[in-house]
Amino acid sequence: MTDTMRALVLDRTGGPDELRLADAPRPQRVLDEVLVRVIAAGVNPIDAKTRAGRGVSGALAAWPAVLGFDFAGIVEQAPYAAHPLRPGDRVYGMGRVPRVPGSYAEYLAVTSLSVAPMPESLGFVEAAAIPLAALTAWGAVFDTAKVRAGTRVLVHAGAGGVGHFAVQFAAHAGAEVTATGSARNTEFLRSLGASRVIDYTSERFEQVAGEQDAVIDLIGNVADDTGTRSLEVLHPDGVLVNVPTGSWPTMAEEAAARGLRATGYVVAPDARVLAEITRLIDDGAVRVHVDREFPLAEGAEAHRRLEAGHVRGKLVLRVAPDPS
Ligand SMILES: NC(=O)c1ccc[n+]([C@@H]2O[C@H](COP(=O)([O-])OP(=O)(O)OC[C@H]3O[C@@H](n4cnc5c(N)ncnc54)[C@H](OP(=O)(O)O)[C@@H]3O)[C@@H](O)[C@H]2O)c1
């Protein structure tokens, strides 16, 4: 194997056109890390925020930098001979901040705690769309909001990357799910298990949603004071989970002033939870929706599309052809 690889690199933070295809040093695996040959890389809002100089750009240690948390690919090197992950295994996962793992590249080294066998029912592109968004949805819905059968839950941006998993997880648990989205996503959201869909472009959700035990807020106060307005529908014993942390600096004070509970949430890689998600996918209980696949070289176009704010499900970069 050579010491270099093809990667979508970033020389400095800025607009989407700062992303360029180039040769970059191939990462070296250390300690418990797995070296993965990447076939596909999921695109997440954190990638675009980081590229623009926000997000986790402060944690980019070396330049040119390689972005990307989500990956699906093949184990090239395992940590040690008897490790449960073996060379040739089809795996997926997400890397962990602060070492932005750089999945927009042919190889990636990542702690084995982040890596799980891929769902058998999926190809690499669909698998790469899952980890960060699904782990976020799981953490917000189950670990933080404690959603279970009968919980009334409102999911903002239910048609997006995190949202389409949050709606499905909550519905699968037997919750009563209301989701916000534009009218073009009504049928999509219903097919995921939302019993009610509110078109945020024509209705004020706080006037029609009714009381909710939990709000999974994937918008925050970035748009239309969605976070603040969500407090109006929250049951006194309910909880609001704000996922775009930092989008609503006065959240704690505003919630406390009304005697309500609101919390941020930050995702972390977790191969065990990912294995549970894998089971749900292979059982057909949960599905992933890929809005569009782009070749790695067209990463800038994928970022532009993501930043326009209306992706249904996920965008994925194809890094390499499927292995034969
Ligand atoms: N804290 C963490 O660990 C963490 C983890 C993951 C994500 N995040 C953050 O969470 C946010 C959501 O991430 P994502 O990947 O799900 O984003 P995304 O996929 O880009 O979300 C796109 C969706 O948002 C919907 N939307 C846009 N404006 C809306 C509004 N005003 N009300 C309701 N829906 C609206 C769109 O539906 P329409 O097309 O119908 O408008 C679209 O389907 C991002 O800010 C991301 O950075 C945080």
Side-chain angles (χ1 to χ4, degrees):
M1 211 189 297
T2 64
D3 292 342
T4 60
M5 62 177 182
R6 294 300 277 169
L8 201 61
V9 303
L10 185 68
D11 296 308
R12 59 188 161 273
T13 57
D17 290 329
E18 297 295 343
L19 294 166
R20 67 179 174 90
L21 205 55
D23 286 334
R26 187 170 61 77
Q28 302 288 320
R29 191 200 65 72
V30 293
L31 298 170
D32 86 308
E33 286 183 332
V34 179
L35 184 69
V36 177
R37 179 153 60 94
V38 179
I39 306 295
V43 180
N44 289 288
I46 185 77
D47 303 345
K49 291 175 188 178
T50 301
R51 187 218 68 230
R54 297 176 284 118
V56 295
S57 57
L60 294 174
W63 297 90
V66 181
L67 300 176
F69 284 89
D70 276 336
F71 61 89
I74 293 168
V75 174
E76 185 79 21
Q77 294 170 4
Y80 47 88
H83 195 278
L85 295 171
R86 304 169 65 87
D89 285 355
R90 290 155 46 105
V91 292
Y92 74 149
M94 64 167 282
R96 185 174 50 171
V97 180
R99 180 170 169 171
V100 180
S103 60
Y104 291 6
E106 287 177 317
Y107 290 91
L108 148 152
V110 67
T111 169
S112 58
L113 295 174
S114 298
V115 183
M118 254 172 61
E120 287 177 6
S121 55
L122 298 185
F124 291 97
V125 167
E126 286 177 304
I130 295 172
L132 191 145
L135 287 168
T136 303
W138 188 281
V141 168
F142 295 132
D143 300 338
T144 314
K146 314 283 187 209
V147 168
R148 52 179 182 260
T151 305
R152 296 165 300 177
V153 55
L154 171 63
V155 180
H156 287 305
V162 179
H164 87 300
F165 288 117
V167 168
Q168 293 182 85
F169 291 157
H172 184 66
E176 198 183 299
V177 185
T178 302
T180 61
S182 65
R184 74 180 187 93
N185 279 318
T186 301
E187 282 318 307
F188 177 63
L189 286 163
R190 284 194 183 282
S191 75
L192 301 176
S195 53
R196 183 154 182 212
V197 179
I198 300 174
D199 175 2
Y200 69 90
T201 66
S202 63
E203 290 182 288
R204 302 289 283 179
F205 67 82
E206 68 276 26
Q207 292 171 359
V208 292
E211 191 173 62
Q212 301 289 323
D213 303 306
V215 178
I216 307 299
D217 181 9
L218 302 169
I219 297 291
N221 276 5
V222 169
D224 223 8
D225 289 333
T226 299
T228 298
R229 287 162 54 216
S230 294
L231 295 175
E232 294 179 28
V233 302
L234 202 58
H235 183 279
D237 296 327
V239 62
L240 179 147
V241 185
N242 172 259
V243 179
T245 49
S247 67
W248 182 14
T250 56
M251 175 184 75
E253 294 90 313
E254 287 185 47
R258 295 170 183 238
L260 295 169
R261 213 152 55 94
T263 176
Y265 169 79
V266 178
V267 67
D270 189 330
R272 287 185 191 178
V273 173
L274 203 48
E276 290 195 49
I277 292 168
T278 303
R279 256 193 307 281
L280 288 175
I281 299 233
D282 279 339
D283 288 350
V286 168
R287 68 180 200 264
V288 57
H289 181 87
V290 175
D291 190 329
R292 192 162 154 196
E293 167 188 337
F294 294 84
L296 183 62
E298 292 175 23
E301 186 51 33
H303 274 218
R304 270 190 283 275
R305 196 174 166 113
L306 185 85
E307 288 176 310
H310 299 288
V311 172
R312 175 183 291 172
K314 297 288 301 177
L315 302 179
V316 178
L317 301 178
R318 162 72 76 169
V319 177
D322 280 359
S324 44

